[in-house]
Amino acid sequence: MRIGVLTAGGDCPGLNAVIRSVVHRAVAHYSDEVIGFEDGYAGLLEGRYRALDLNAVSGILARGGTILGSSRLERDRLREACENASDMVREFGIDALVPIGGEGTLTAARMLSDAGLPVVGVPKTIDNDISSTDRTFGFDTAVTVATEAMDRLKTTAESHQRVMVVEVMGRHAGWIALESGMAAGAHAICLPERPFDPADLVKMVEERFARGKKFAVICVAEGAHPAPGTMDYGHGEIDKYGHERFQGIGTALAHELERRLGKEARPVILGHVQRGGTPTAYDRVLATRFGWHAVEAAHRGEFGMMTALRGTDIVMVPLAEAVTELKMVPKDRMDEAESVF
Ligand code: F6P
């Protein structure tokens, strides 16, 4: 069998672990040939690929990023790919394509599958917002990085009697904010799923200072919004990939709190540091298992499917099911963390 693999969308710790696992299972066990398309779907469209043998994936398990490169695909180019799907299969002689990516990549994977490409998807995103899988790899690493950052920020915040507003990633879903905020003991958490009122945050900070706790850490997801009428904060434009350009809620909220409290409030934007660097052990293991199961599915001819974690098992689920809706933080998870909302 000849298997094509690509990584698309935002990078994520664990991508290299999947690539390595696909190559190990396919080459060492099945004597398959594996090719890696460069820079996501762009490499597929432009015929840019290279052979991946055991040597090519040696030493990459713990490396962040992706050795294949990644990119986002504009909708017009995706349509072009779908129209040429069968030609591409013939041209590259691939019997299976394994795209590793988030919601956008898997939506594209589904379209390519519907257009006739033999596709087995592997979900990835630090946001953990793909429905049908209990977890995506990369999420554990992002939560670990954000937690460590907040642990560190607490000591400096306390020394200077400051409010720290820590903005973490999470475009539509607040999983990173929820779990890192809980793990770090943040004093408030703001999620995209539940608009917040800055007045509640002011009250929380004032109560803490009144009790002699002269600092606070507020964890805010980049996609969080204030409730209508509570604070001046606009929606951004939509970029060419269909994503809202955020206005910087961490900075806006820190300024607002400083104004209302008359105390120093500093924004800290963690940004891409959450996505860079080595994956945690958990993410390496999950990524490796996904890669192994993707090759197995390809050999069983289970196309149009995606690997998923259910409990402790890896199962295959239809791509169609995986991309219909995002997995948002449910109310009961917010209730568990209510004391910090
Ligand atoms: O989807 C993963 C993610 O890291 C989001 O949390 C974030 O909003 C987005 O990607 C950032 O994308 P880019 O790297 O293109 O700025």
Side-chain angles (χ1 to χ4, degrees), residues 39-60:
D39 306 330
Y41 287 113
L44 183 70
L45 284 171
E46 292 156 16
R48 286 189 286 115
Y49 63 87
R50 59 182 191 262
L52 293 176
D53 58 12
L54 293 175
N55 262 342
V57 297
S58 170
I60 67 168

Side-chain angles (χ1 to χ4, degrees), residues 72 125-127 169-171 222 272 275:
R72 299 196 195 280
T125 167
I126 64 164
D127 292 354
M169 282 188 165
R171 177 164 281 282
E222 63 183 344
H272 293 84
R275 273 191 0 209

Side-chain angles (χ1 to χ4, degrees), residues 61-81:
L61 175 61
R63 200 190 303 170
T66 160
I67 60 163
L68 291 175
S70 190
S71 65
R72 299 196 195 280
L73 193 67
E74 290 163 44
R75 279 164 211 276
D76 288 354
R77 295 211 72 201
L78 179 60
R79 262 192 293 276
E80 185 194 324

Side-chain angles (χ1 to χ4, degrees), residues 16 24 34 65 72 94 97 102 116 119 133 164 187 190 196 223 228 235 252-253 261 276 282 300 316 324:
N16 285 327
H24 274 255
V34 181
R72 299 196 195 280
I94 47 175
L97 177 70
V119 174
T133 182
M164 291 287 184
H187 305 109
C190 304
F196 64 90
H235 286 266
L253 181 57
L261 284 160
Y282 179 92
R300 287 194 303 269
M316 300 305 297
T324 45

Side-chain angles (χ1 to χ4, degrees), residues 11 18 43 47 66 117 133 145 168 170 176 188 198 212 228 251 283 292 321 338:
D11 73 342
V18 182
T66 160
L117 237 69
T133 182
V145 170
V168 299
I176 298 175
T251 305
D283 283 339
W292 192 95
E321 192 186 302
E338 198 163 70

